[in-house]
């Protein structure tokens, strides 16, 4: 039997299938494209979950550096400026992530520095100020040739420990993400800074 005789029924089936509007395929089944992965969630999605700074304006008029204290709630990721048991201001924070948890306990502000820079974390920059390597540890990373270490800015810094943990402006992704410090929003950090002094009590924990 000739090959043309064998192939004729297959071709007839293909014609009939095409006429009926169905796709007929001879050979290996084509690969299906991979499913499109879900889009990554933007940082703004997390940030929007945190309520912005809230201020009791009538209490704020009474607040001074001598009558305030600070409470940081790690579970709620909020910091509270207090007069006694009354909340003057309530702002979002980002505390230390796993492996770099913020210390729990009672502290007192040890230092105030409006333009502090980290001595532990930052970038390696060249002579023109261009960042060569970002997000480095001054202790464990070696500087590329021709660069120097530039500590990360920590504006409106309130030092809580001798190891460098403090409160300052920082990125707030909506969850614990720092190396141990308490990051605050720009308006929150400035308000807390202005109403604290060296010696102001600060309690950090599961409040």
């Amino acid at each position: 039997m000739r090959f043309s005789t064998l192939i004729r029924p297959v071709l007839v089936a293909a014609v009939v299938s095409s006429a009926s509007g169905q796709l007929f395929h001879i050979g290996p089944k084509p690969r299906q494209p991979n499913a499109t992965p879900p889009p990554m969630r933007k940082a703004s999605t997390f940030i929007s979950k945190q309520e912005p700074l809230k201020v009791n304006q009538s209490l704020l008029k009474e607040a001074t550096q001598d009558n305030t204290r600070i409470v940081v709630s790690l579970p709620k990721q909020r910091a509270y400026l207090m007069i006694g048991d009354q909340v003057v201001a309530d702002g979002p924070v980002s505390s230390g992530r796993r492996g770099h948890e913020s210390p729990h306990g009672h502290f007192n502000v040890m230092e105030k520095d409006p333009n502090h820079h980290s001595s532990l974390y930052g970038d390696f920059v060249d002579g023109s100020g261009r960042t060569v390597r970002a997000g480095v540890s001054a202790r464990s990373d070696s500087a590329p040739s021709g660069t120097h270490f530039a500590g990360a800015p920590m504006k409106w810094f309130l030092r809580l420990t001798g190891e460098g943990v403090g409160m300052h402006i920082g990125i707030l992704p909506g969850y614990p993400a720092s190396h141990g410090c308490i990051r605050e929003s720009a308006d929150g950090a400035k308000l807390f800074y202005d109403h604290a002094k060296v010696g102001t009590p600060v309690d950090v924990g599961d409040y």
Side-chain angles (χ1 to χ4, degrees):
M1 186 181 293
R2 293 193 304 174
F3 178 76
S4 59
T5 304
L6 290 173
I7 199 67
R8 187 176 296 115
V10 175
L11 295 175
V12 171
V15 171
V16 172
S17 179
S18 298
S20 64
Q22 297 179 354
L23 178 64
F24 183 84
H25 179 77
I26 299 176
K29 187 176 180 180
R31 294 179 61 185
Q32 298 296 321
N34 293 330
T36 303
M40 291 182 64
R41 299 177 71 182
K42 296 181 179 179
S44 58
T45 303
F46 296 102
I47 294 171
S48 64
K49 292 181 179 180
Q50 287 183 294
E51 292 187 30
L53 177 71
K54 297 181 289 186
V55 181
N56 183 324
Q57 294 296 338
S58 60
L59 275 178
L60 184 62
K61 295 176 182 177
E62 302 176 19
T64 70
Q65 293 184 349
D66 295 315
N67 66 3
T68 56
R69 64 188 182 95
I70 297 171
V71 174
V72 177
S73 170
L74 298 178
K76 295 177 181 177
Q77 291 291 280
R78 305 291 291 186
Y80 305 92
L81 183 68
M82 313 277 295
I83 297 178
D85 293 328
Q86 300 182 89
V87 177
V88 177
D90 166 6
V93 303
S94 177
S95 59
R97 66 176 183 261
R98 181 174 297 180
H100 295 275
E101 290 85 355
S102 300
H104 291 52
H106 176 79
F107 307 91
N108 294 92
V109 173
M110 301 173 63
E111 173 193 359
K112 292 182 64 175
D113 185 350
N115 290 297
H116 188 73
H117 286 77
S118 175
S119 60
L120 299 177
Y121 302 101
D123 305 326
F124 287 130
V125 299
D126 61 19
S128 64
R130 182 177 61 91
T131 299
V132 175
R133 187 183 299 167
V136 301
S137 167
R139 290 178 175 174
S140 59
D141 292 274
S142 57
S145 177
T147 68
H148 63 276
F149 177 77
M154 297 179 168
K155 195 171 178 62
W156 308 123
F157 182 73
L158 299 175
R159 181 185 295 274
L160 303 183
T161 74
E163 291 72 34
V165 173
M167 302 179 68
H168 59 82
I169 288 179
I171 297 172
L172 303 180
Y175 50 84
S178 79
H179 285 95
C181 284
I182 310 296
R183 298 178 184 170
E184 303 172 88
S185 62
D187 51 354
K190 178 65 163 60
L191 188 146
F192 278 63
Y193 184 92
D194 286 345
H195 291 84
K197 66 178 182 179
V198 172
T200 294
V202 181
D203 290 292
V204 180
D206 300 330
Y207 302 111

